[in-house]
Amino acid sequence: MVKLSNNLVGILNIITFILSIPILIAGIWLSRQGTTECERFLEKPVIAIGVFLMLISIAGIIGACCRVSWLLWTYLLVMFLLIVLLFCFTIFAFAVTNKGAGEHLSGKGYKEYKLGDYSNWLQKRVNNNKNWRKIKSCLQDSKVCKSMTEDADATPVEKFYLERLNSIQSGCCKPSDSCNFTYVSPTNWTKTTEPAPNTDCMLWDNDPSVLCFNCQSCKAGMLDNIKSDWKRVAVVNVIFLICLIIVYSIGCCAFRNNREENSWKRYP
């Protein structure tokens, strides 16, 4: 009689195998159709995840349904390592995103961001010139500031100051409020002749491809966005970890069933 745990492991891995197919297709599509730096960056990880899920699913299906103990043992070993890695990453994600928040400005709907407020590990990542060139290219390709300029002529300064800009728009698409530039449009400001209170003021340019993409505030805004995303990912990881532990427990039962059945066949 086929054991229930073996059936469950088989069914769960068939579902995982089916899910791995569109992931793999998406990775191949990105490798052929990707035109931006961001798309090319995602290509290899997506393909790797698709292949990994496909292989581990095949091992789980064959190991559980065909009673191949060594294959099921390999499947359980990989699952255990995945649980450990996910647990470590989740703790790490919570640790590096614990610091940093935007600064509320009086009478403004948006916040401003300072790089020094975030964890040293994150700061080192964005201060690396090679990393920042790639990130900046992604921000420019995504046209993150374009939405601010669609109704630029109809946006008076009073209305603009009440806009709830996201962290990247606030940090990369406009100069810091401390610069005291004269507002023309959301991404067009007239520089003053007064001494610049910080280096970001000197780096600002009205060119849409430049703006404040080289500013420290842009890096801080990017980190605030990463912080929010990583916290959401960490919460999802906790849920995923619980599911993995349940599947791993069922897999252990299936492995025990395989050993018991093989023992009965060996000693009738």
Side-chain angles (χ1 to χ4, degrees):
M1 181 179 179
V2 180
K3 302 291 186 179
L4 177 61
S5 56
N6 292 69
N7 285 343
L8 285 173
V9 172
I11 292 169
L12 290 171
N13 281 282
I14 288 171
I15 295 172
T16 306
F17 180 83
I18 294 170
L19 290 174
S20 70
I21 295 173
I23 295 174
L24 187 58
I25 291 173
I28 295 171
W29 182 86
L30 282 174
S31 68
R32 295 178 180 274
Q33 303 296 327
T35 55
T36 68
E37 185 76 26
C38 297
E39 290 172 341
R40 290 192 293 271
F41 175 77
L42 289 172
E43 160 203 333
K44 291 180 180 178
V46 171
I47 291 176
I49 290 171
V51 171
F52 172 78
L53 289 176
M54 189 171 285
L55 292 176
I56 197 66
S57 299
I58 291 172
I61 292 167
I62 296 174
C65 299
C66 300
R67 307 303 177 87
V68 182
S69 294
W70 70 268
L71 204 54
L72 189 57
W73 183 88
T74 303
Y75 168 79
L76 291 173
L77 177 62
V78 174
M79 287 283 288
F80 176 77
L81 294 175
L82 183 60
I83 289 170
V84 172
L85 287 173
L86 271 177
F87 178 79
C88 293
F89 173 76
T90 302
I91 298 298
F92 175 75
F94 277 119
V96 298
T97 58
N98 189 45
K99 292 176 61 179
E103 178 185 351
H104 290 276
L105 301 174
S106 177
K108 307 292 171 64
Y110 51 80
K111 301 177 184 178
E112 291 208 332
Y113 303 86
K114 296 179 180 178
L115 187 60
D117 292 341
Y118 297 87
S119 72
N120 292 331
W121 187 88
L122 288 175
Q123 287 185 52
K124 288 178 182 178
R125 304 286 83 73
V126 293
N127 278 327
N128 180 289
N129 290 330
K130 182 179 178 181
N131 291 341
W132 185 246
R133 278 197 300 269
K134 292 180 180 179
I135 294 171
K136 185 170 67 173
S137 174
C138 290
L139 293 175
Q140 292 168 334
D141 290 338
S142 68
K143 295 180 172 56
V144 68
C145 302
K146 186 178 180 181
S147 61
M148 295 171 60
T149 61
E150 290 176 351
D151 299 319
D153 295 333
T155 307
V157 63
E158 295 82 7
K159 182 181 177 182
F160 173 74
Y161 283 149
L162 297 177
E163 292 285 343
R164 296 194 176 277
L165 306 177
N166 62 44
S167 61
I168 294 177
Q169 288 176 325
S170 178
C172 306
C173 306
K174 68 167 192 62
S176 169
D177 273 34
S178 64
C179 296
N180 293 317
F181 291 170
T182 303
Y183 175 88
V184 178
S185 74
T187 57
N188 189 348
W189 299 72
T190 302
K191 290 186 176 183
T192 62
T193 56
E194 299 175 5
N198 62 59
T199 55
D200 284 355
C201 302
M202 301 295 294
L203 295 172
W204 169 264
D205 195 296
N206 289 325
D207 184 340
S209 64
V210 180
L211 298 179
C212 218
F213 288 119
N214 294 314
C215 299
Q216 295 291 89
S217 64
C218 186
K219 294 177 181 179
M222 186 65 196
L223 290 188
D224 194 80
N225 187 67
I226 290 173
K227 173 186 172 181
S228 299
D229 289 343
W230 275 31
K231 280 197 170 180
R232 284 192 286 267
V233 168
V235 171
V236 172
N237 276 352
V238 171
I239 298 170
F240 189 46
L241 267 173
I242 294 171
C243 295
L244 278 179
I245 291 170
I246 293 171
V247 173
Y248 179 78
S249 301
I250 296 171
C252 288
C253 293
F255 179 70
R256 185 181 61 196
N257 293 338
N258 285 3
R259 292 189 63 182
E260 288 177 355
E261 185 169 303
N262 290 336
S263 297
W264 279 104
K265 288 179 179 178
R266 194 177 298 113
Y267 303 108

